[in-house]
Amino acid sequence: MDLTKLKNCELFLFDMDGTLYLGDEVYEGAIELMEDLPALGKQYIYLTNNSSRAGTDYITRLKRLGFPCEKENVFTSGMATGLYLNEKAPGKRVYLVGTQAFRRELLSYGINLVEEDAEVVVVGFDTELVYEKLNKACHFLRRGAWFIAANPDWVCPMPHDEVLPDCGSICALLTASSGVKPTYIGKPNRNMIDVISTMTGIPNEKICAVGDRLYTDIAVAQNAGAVSVLVLSGETTEELLRTAERQPDYVLPDVHALHQVLK
Ligand SMILES: [Mg+2]
């Protein structure tokens, strides 16, 4: 295995569930890897498509599990949406279909959130959704507002084989009623890595995405020209990997093995 591309990476983006832990069970060697990365000269970011929670919620959770985590180490699709709006639609009037946590996140980026005359409709994983928000969003979209969605996930997996309707499903309703399709920001869309590259000044080819899902964690790296590491500690089986159209750059059993390789 030629490790040059991997070892040249300066920034590592980590998926969380299925990669570093499963629920509240932290994988062996995961904390040690994160603690050792700065000494190995690597930066790291915990990356999530969940736009219902704020970055600070993840800092609390990760610290409780024992992971090192400061403000600069967490990046959500909600934060990516804030940066994307400032870059592509600066100062525009934005109507949000999202949680209070997402609202606060966008306000922290200086986004101009409005209730009337919106030029942009932003949708997130809105666990506080009410009909009035859908009604307003549909109204603005039908009058030409730009449609931005934080993450494309149809559902959010829950314990005991349950799911919650996620951002992609809310957007499907709005597309059906307005005829407008969204631009998605979160994984697997390259926007997620592009905004991180702009934010950190690190080129995409020196960014490595580590995760357990081919169609999000690995696809985002492939779409953005970044390096990808698939870990087999979560969703992807050997069988699934064999039949995948595009193969990851590297395949490892878990993040403990990644630590051994980087040392
Ligand atoms: Mg995962």
Side-chain angles (χ1 to χ4, degrees):
M1 185 161 44
D2 180 6
L3 297 170
T4 317
K5 251 181 18 174
L6 182 62
K7 293 200 172 202
N8 279 342
C9 286
E10 295 173 11
L11 171 63
F12 285 76
L13 310 177
F14 286 89
D15 170 57
M16 289 180 265
D17 224 19
T19 300
L20 297 174
Y21 53 74
L22 198 65
D24 276 347
E25 183 205 328
V26 177
Y27 288 153
E28 197 193 327
I31 292 171
E32 290 78 1
L33 165 65
M34 304 315 291
E35 285 176 338
D36 204 23
L37 282 173
L40 295 168
K42 312 296 187 194
Q43 298 178 43
Y44 63 90
I45 287 175
Y46 303 100
L47 194 65
T48 175
N49 257 13
N50 190 335
S51 57
S52 74
R53 299 217 174 97
T56 49
D57 297 328
Y58 281 95
I59 300 176
T60 308
R61 171 164 170 71
L62 285 159
K63 281 189 166 168
R64 183 172 63 75
L65 291 173
F67 286 95
C69 184
E70 300 303 325
K71 199 169 180 289
E72 65 271 18
N73 300 119
V74 168
F75 200 69
T76 70
S77 64
M79 295 160 76
T81 304
L83 287 173
Y84 185 86
L85 287 169
N86 277 337
E87 193 185 322
K88 309 280 184 183
K92 290 251 188 290
R93 296 186 301 276
V94 174
Y95 182 71
L96 175 66
V97 178
T99 59
Q100 287 300 321
F102 192 11
R103 173 171 297 273
R104 283 193 298 273
E105 195 92 83
L106 290 180
L107 288 173
S108 78
Y109 285 94
I111 304 303
N112 180 16
L113 294 178
V114 299
E115 293 296 317
E116 304 297 333
D117 283 330
E119 298 163 283
V120 182
V121 169
V122 168
V123 178
F125 175 18
D126 190 356
T127 53
E128 300 154 14
L129 184 65
V130 293
Y131 188 79
E132 189 199 354
K133 291 190 199 172
L134 295 170
N135 187 18
K136 279 191 155 183
C138 178
H139 169 88
F140 297 133
L141 289 172
R142 282 171 41 86
R143 277 156 190 77
W146 194 21
F147 191 178
I148 306 291
N151 58 297
D153 309 64
W154 294 102
V155 296
C156 175
M158 296 296 285
H160 312 296
D161 201 31
E162 295 290 335
V163 298
L164 298 175
D166 205 325
C167 183
S169 296
I170 299 172
C171 289
L173 185 152
L174 288 172
T175 296
S177 52
S178 68
V180 186
K181 286 184 182 159
T183 297
Y184 285 110
I185 307 296
K187 300 183 277 188
N189 300 285
R190 64 171 298 159
N191 292 322
M192 193 78 159
I193 287 181
D194 287 340
V195 294
I196 289 172
S197 173
T198 305
M199 179 177 76
T200 58
I202 297 172
N204 289 16
E205 64 269 21
K206 293 205 165 169
I207 296 176
C208 176
V210 183
D212 69 307
R213 262 189 190 179
L214 286 166
Y215 53 95
T216 54
D217 307 324
I218 303 308
V220 69
Q222 289 166 332
N223 291 337
V227 178
S228 59
V229 174
L230 178 76
V231 285
L232 298 172
S233 54
E235 195 179 278
T236 306
T237 58
E238 303 257 8
E239 174 70 40
L240 216 69
L241 176 62
R242 248 195 314 277
T243 55
E245 209 170 291
R246 284 192 296 180
Q247 293 292 309
D249 292 310
Y250 301 95
V251 180
L252 294 168
D254 51 30
V255 285
H256 177 69
L258 175 62
H259 195 183
Q260 301 309 310
V261 162
L262 288 175
K263 269 185 194 175

